[in-house]
């Protein structure tokens, strides 16, 4: 893939999202993913929960300095609004790495009210009794769905994970564990810090430029500082793996700019966290 080819493909991807509120709980979705009858997915906003102060109000991060019971109650509220069985949740234990774990119903509630999984930023399953959950507060959520092999993947992709190609790791795991062909895999990117808001030091900018030479991912903001387009980084690693251009879907929502979302950077670390979720729907019992 040349630089010109990549930019042509990237420009053809039109970001699209939907937003709804159920009992005051906000949920973002990617319309292309909503159109698949075999899955349910979404991304939480910060509205409708019980947390107060800088965590107000639907903090879904257990790693923040907040009472665990508040976060557990927020998950109960969110699951009711999003129609997720609480018992089906399996949560990542992110460390900004590239470890991807395959999980099934034996892992249900891990990270919620059962011991957390070993450190991992990505999860893969073909079990319809599992809802994959990952935590975010500017970092990208990558959603993966293979409608042929009926398996899914979800990962937390901060800048380090994105740089180290956590997205490729999830696709490789789906290939080896589920027999997926990358040509069948649909990829989505949830709400996350946008190309214009993600300011970095020159050292980080250089790392991205070296790792993703096909992208035109560097910019300069109004303060004269370098910016990195992480959404290009996402698309580039999906394409490298053999994902079809028309199977790449960006939400285009910026956590830094949208005040319905927590943003680690905007709120200078004093903030809550959102959750991405993805599950297979079992139509055999319909
Ligand atoms: Zn932005």
């Amino acid at each position: 893939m040349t630089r010109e080819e990549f930019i042509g493909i990237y420009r053809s991807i039109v970001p699209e999202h939907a937003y709804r509120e159920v009992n005051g709980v906000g949920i973002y979705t990617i319309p292309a993913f909503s159109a698949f009858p075999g899955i349910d997915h979404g991304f939480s906003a910060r509205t409708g929960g019980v947390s107060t102060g800088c965590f107000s109000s639907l903090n879904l991060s257990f790693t923040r300095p907040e009472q665990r019971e508040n976060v557990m109650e927020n998950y109960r509220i969110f699951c009711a609004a999003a129609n997720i069985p609480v018992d089906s949740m399996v949560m990542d234990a992110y460390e900004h790495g590239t470890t991807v774990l395959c999980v099934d119903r034996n892992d249900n509630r891990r990270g919620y009210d059962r011991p957390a999984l070993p450190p991992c930023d990505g999860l893969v399953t073909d079990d319809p009794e599992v809802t994959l959950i990952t935590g975010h507060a500017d970092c990208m959520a990558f959603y993966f769905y293979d409608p042929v092999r009926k398996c899914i993947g979800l990962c937390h992709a901060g800048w380090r994970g994105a740089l180290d190609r956590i997205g490729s790791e999830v696709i490789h795991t789906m290939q080896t564990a589920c027999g997926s062909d990358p040509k069948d895999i649909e990829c989505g990117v949830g709400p996350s810090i946008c190309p214009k808001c993600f300011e970095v030091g020159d050292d980080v900018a250089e790392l991205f430029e070296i790792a993703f030479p096909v992208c035109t991912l560097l910019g300069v903001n109004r303060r004269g500082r370098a910016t990195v387009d992480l959404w290009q980084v996402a698309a580039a690693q999906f394409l490298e793996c053999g994902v079809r251009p028309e199977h790449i879907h960006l939400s285009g929502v910026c956590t830094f700019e949208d005040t319905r979302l927590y943003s680690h950077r905007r709120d200078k670390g004093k903030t809550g966290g959102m959750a991405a979720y993805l599950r297979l729907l079992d139509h055999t019992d319909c």
Side-chain angles (χ1 to χ4, degrees):
M1 184 170 52
T2 65
R3 211 175 161 95
E4 287 68 30
E5 283 168 343
F6 174 74
I7 292 305
I9 291 169
Y10 187 71
R11 286 195 181 133
S12 73
I13 302 170
V14 180
E16 204 179 359
H17 78 277
Y19 177 78
R20 71 180 191 274
E21 286 191 3
V22 181
N23 299 327
V25 174
I27 303 168
Y28 288 83
T29 51
I30 301 169
F33 267 64
S34 300
F36 295 118
I39 52 170
D40 188 20
H41 84 291
F43 191 91
S44 68
R46 62 185 294 173
T47 58
V50 300
S51 302
T52 57
C54 67
F55 304 120
S56 178
S57 64
L58 192 84
N59 173 34
L60 295 177
S61 169
F62 285 115
T63 64
R64 309 277 162 177
E66 200 200 359
Q67 289 178 3
R68 194 171 174 86
E69 185 45 49
N70 282 353
V71 183
M72 293 190 68
E73 178 61 15
N74 285 338
Y75 268 107
R76 285 189 284 271
I77 291 168
F78 183 68
C79 286
N83 200 25
I84 298 166
V86 172
D87 288 346
S88 70
M89 292 194 293
V90 178
M91 299 182 177
D92 71 338
Y94 70 82
E95 55 165 1
H96 296 278
T98 56
T99 300
V100 180
L101 296 181
C102 294
V103 297
D104 62 25
R105 62 192 69 185
N106 295 313
D107 299 302
N108 283 353
R109 304 182 80 113
R110 292 197 67 176
Y112 180 62
D113 59 2
R114 288 184 58 211
L117 292 169
C120 63
D121 284 60
L123 301 169
V124 165
T125 193
D126 61 359
D127 189 339
E129 297 293 317
V130 165
T131 300
L132 303 178
I133 303 274
T134 53
H136 307 270
D138 277 337
C139 298
M140 296 182 286
F142 294 166
Y143 298 81
F144 301 90
Y145 173 46
D146 176 354
V148 176
R149 306 300 298 193
K150 295 186 172 45
C151 63
I152 53 175
L154 184 66
C155 75
H156 163 266
W159 72 260
R160 286 186 200 85
L163 178 69
D164 293 339
R165 290 176 164 78
I166 174 85
S168 310
E169 287 299 321
V170 176
I171 292 169
H172 294 154
T173 304
M174 290 172 74
Q175 288 178 270
T176 50
C178 309
S180 292
D181 181 338
K183 290 185 175 56
D184 298 324
I185 298 178
E186 302 278 346
C187 304
V189 179
S192 45
I193 195 162
C194 86
K196 152 171 124 249
C197 296
F198 186 52
E199 180 182 303
V200 296
D202 291 341
D203 50 342
V204 172
E206 190 180 349
L207 291 175
F208 278 98
E209 202 168 27
I210 292 166
F212 292 91
V214 299
C215 301
T216 51
L217 46 76
L218 297 188
V220 180
N221 64 15
R222 277 181 289 180
R223 307 195 315 146
R225 300 288 301 274
T227 57
V228 167
D229 183 345
L230 292 174
W231 297 343
Q232 280 194 38
V233 171
Q237 59 196 274
F238 302 155
L239 290 167
E240 283 169 0
C241 291
V243 171
R244 293 179 195 270
E246 62 272 28
H247 289 182
I248 298 175
H249 314 284
L250 305 175
S251 70
V253 176
C254 176
T255 46
F256 193 93
E257 294 174 70
D258 188 332
T259 53
R260 290 181 299 207
L261 296 164
Y262 298 108
S263 168
H264 186 75
R265 286 208 166 200
R266 181 193 64 218
D267 304 333
K268 300 185 170 50
K270 292 190 170 60
T271 196
M274 289 90 66
Y277 69 94
L278 178 61
R279 68 182 178 117
L280 290 163
L281 298 176
D282 187 356
H283 290 286
T284 56
D285 50 33
C286 288

